[in-house]
Amino acid sequence: MAGGITDTGELYSPYVGLVYMFNLIVGTGALTMPKAFATAGWLVSLILLMFLGFMSYMTTTFVVEAMAAANAQLRWKRMEKRKEDDEDEDSSSGVSDSDVLLQDGYERAETRPILSVQRRGSANIFEITERVEMGQMASMFFNKVGVNLFYFCIIIYLYGDLAIYAAAVPVSLMQVTCSVTGNHSCSVGDGTKYNDTDKCWGPIRRIDAYRLYLAAFTLLLGPFTFFNVQKTKYLQIMTSLMRWIAFILMIILALVRISRGQAEGHPSMAQLSGIRNLFGVCVYSFMCQHSLPSLITPISKKKHVNKLVLLDYILILAFYSLLSFTAIYCFRNDTLMDMYTLNFTNCDIISMAFIRYFLGLFPVFTISTNFPIIAVTLRNNWKTLFHREGGTYPWLVDRIVFPAITLIPPVLVAFCTHDLESLVGITGAYAGNGIQYLIPAFLAYCSRKDTQLVFGSGTVNKHLSPFRHSFWIVFVLIWGFSCFVFVTANIVLSESKL
């Protein structure tokens, strides 16, 4: 996620890239969106969803532009290195007047715009052919403080991700297996509100069952944090297939229930108290900026990449709207669960036990495959943050300390709370805000400034964002910082009322 320059991998067509990006964005956040829609009101939710989708698209084009600028600078540095090596070879056979002129020209090239790049036929110097991750771009365009703030933001976001995952799996298992009435999942999602102190099995309370599942989840998947693990192609295909079967099933079942006149939802138009969580959930649900380098670079034809991304965002916006509107009209607001899949584990809604358990346990399968990947990514970001040139970590620090500080905090958070809507909302509103708005805006600004300094003001980045005017960068920065203030003030005011 935040590493250096890596191989592009196997190339694929723009339409395959569109599918990959759709799969990347539509994930766990979508399952918490219906509840957020219900608490904020359908009109406010729709307006905010459309606006945040637009903002996310804008910052996505900023990241693509910064990727192109980073590729251009890397390409230029290699050209200069080759030229320097050639001059060294010439000088070894004797120094001539022409050699002196060449060297003098090279020195001047370091302090003035490099216009000769275009004249040498390098019209595609801004072509995105190398995968330059966001951490490498931050190192190229930010100062030391900016780089550290970037890694801090990424690390906080990944901690939030892991806490959400660590809570979502035990919550799903608890809801499916625990029932006050004793008939398993048939009473889940029927409107009955359970307390954590209610009985699950015998003397075991629901909160005890949740923490037992959390302990089992940690013991089973936690050890992967101490090793290297990556998601294989076939595992990715399997989890994507399961995700789409689950989403399509939920939409169809809700539509069928509405068409039969069994809809129970009467959502309000606006409830301002729900905007805070809705904002965080929407930001989290549109998150893709941190993975764009590995997604965009392998696309074979990038001429219309911004239009492709726009099409993806329109499709995702339509999908989120369809999922959320069918949910809020199918179920009463007070019965919508934090994890939407759990609303379909009631016998009155679905008679087939297999579908009930598939939807109820769907987050368990998909999240369990993602947890080790995110944990290893977070561990590697910690290593990168504290890494010093030429230095190595002692075995104890490398193999024990870094994995431990990766795994323990999110598990402790999940132990203390299983309020998924709040976890997603806070993660999106703070760390997600930084990754989705502030970092891309600063990358666009700094990369444009560096490009003008190195290549001259007349050089045009072929992947320049459609939002090229500096007004848009200022607008995104003001919006991002305003959101920090709004969410923080809202939390403080909410706590003071309790």
Side-chain angles (χ1 to χ4, degrees), residues 11 106 221 252 311 353 420 484:
L11 296 178
Y106 171 70
L221 296 179
I252 291 174
L311 176 60
L420 289 173
F484 276 124

Side-chain angles (χ1 to χ4, degrees), residues 93-323:
S93 59
V95 178
S96 64
D97 292 339
S98 60
D99 293 329
V100 174
L101 290 172
L102 281 169
Q103 182 62 25
D104 182 54
Y106 171 70
E107 290 172 355
R108 288 199 307 274
E110 293 295 300
T111 58
R112 69 177 184 179
I114 311 300
L115 302 178
S116 58
V117 174
Q118 304 297 328
R119 289 199 294 268
R120 284 205 292 266
S122 301
N124 294 327
I125 194 166
F126 289 98
E127 193 66 54
I128 302 172
T129 56
E130 294 184 63
R131 188 164 72 196
V132 186
E133 302 288 358
M134 284 188 79
Q136 179 71 5
M137 285 190 278
S139 300
M140 293 173 70
F141 300 126
F142 295 165
N143 58 23
K144 187 177 180 180
V145 174
V147 172
N148 287 337
L149 286 174
F150 164 80
Y151 277 106
F152 175 77
C153 194
I154 284 284
I155 285 169
I156 295 299
Y157 174 77
L158 292 176
Y159 269 132
D161 241 359
L162 291 177
I164 292 165
Y165 288 178
V169 170
V171 162
S172 296
L173 290 169
M174 175 189 70
Q175 295 284 18
V176 169
T177 59
C178 287
S179 172
V180 175
T181 58
N183 61 342
H184 300 288
S185 64
C186 281
S187 60
V188 179
D190 64 352
T192 305
K193 287 292 182 181
Y194 297 122
N195 295 317
D196 286 345
T197 54
D198 291 336
K199 300 298 182 183
C200 183
W201 328 293
I204 303 296
R205 300 173 303 167
R206 290 173 65 85
I207 188 63
D208 297 329
Y210 167 79
R211 287 171 178 168
L212 284 172
Y213 284 131
L214 175 62
F217 177 82
T218 306
L219 290 173
L220 286 172
L221 296 179
F224 286 104
T225 311
F226 295 80
F227 308 100
N228 288 320
V229 62
Q230 61 182 1
K231 198 170 186 178
T232 66
K233 177 182 177 180
Y234 299 106
L235 188 59
Q236 186 174 350
I237 291 171
M238 186 190 75
T239 54
S240 296
L241 187 63
M242 288 181 64
R243 179 164 66 239
W244 284 113
I245 291 172
F247 279 129
I248 292 169
L249 269 175
M250 288 187 290
I251 291 172
I252 291 174
L253 289 168
L255 285 173
V256 167
R257 193 168 170 81
I258 292 170
S259 66
R260 289 177 176 174
Q262 298 173 326
E264 300 174 347
H266 301 283
S268 61
M269 288 182 64
Q271 293 184 45
L272 297 182
S273 60
I275 290 180
R276 183 195 78 196
N277 268 352
L278 176 67
F279 168 75
V281 168
C282 288
V283 169
Y284 188 82
S285 299
F286 279 117
M287 185 65 68
C288 69
Q289 285 74 5
H290 57 297
S291 299
L292 282 175
S294 58
L295 201 66
I296 298 294
T297 307
I299 295 177
S300 56
K301 296 176 182 178
K302 304 181 183 71
K303 184 178 180 181
H304 303 295
V305 67
N306 284 332
K307 294 179 181 177
L308 188 76
V309 172
L310 177 60
L311 176 60
D312 235 327
Y313 270 91
I314 292 172
L315 292 173
I316 290 164
L317 186 64
F319 173 78
Y320 283 162
S321 300
L322 181 61
L323 180 72

Side-chain angles (χ1 to χ4, degrees), residues 45-104:
S45 298
L46 183 61
I47 293 171
L48 190 61
L49 181 68
M50 293 173 67
F51 177 72
L52 293 180
F54 165 74
M55 294 293 289
S56 182
Y57 168 69
M58 188 195 309
T59 56
T60 296
T61 64
F62 286 166
V63 175
V64 173
E65 178 186 336
M67 288 165 56
N71 270 259
Q73 290 214 20
L74 292 170
R75 198 169 284 117
W76 171 249
K77 286 177 182 178
R78 281 197 298 271
M79 292 164 62
E80 287 298 299
K81 184 68 168 62
R82 283 199 298 269
K83 188 169 73 171
E84 186 179 354
D85 292 342
D86 291 342
E87 288 171 355
D88 289 341
E89 289 178 8
D90 292 340
S91 64
S92 64
S93 59
V95 178
S96 64
D97 292 339
S98 60
D99 293 329
V100 174
L101 290 172
L102 281 169
Q103 182 62 25
D104 182 54

Side-chain angles (χ1 to χ4, degrees), residues 226 393-404:
F226 295 80
Y393 295 114
W395 184 90
L396 181 66
V397 174
D398 186 58
R399 296 301 181 90
I400 304 297
V401 175
F402 280 124

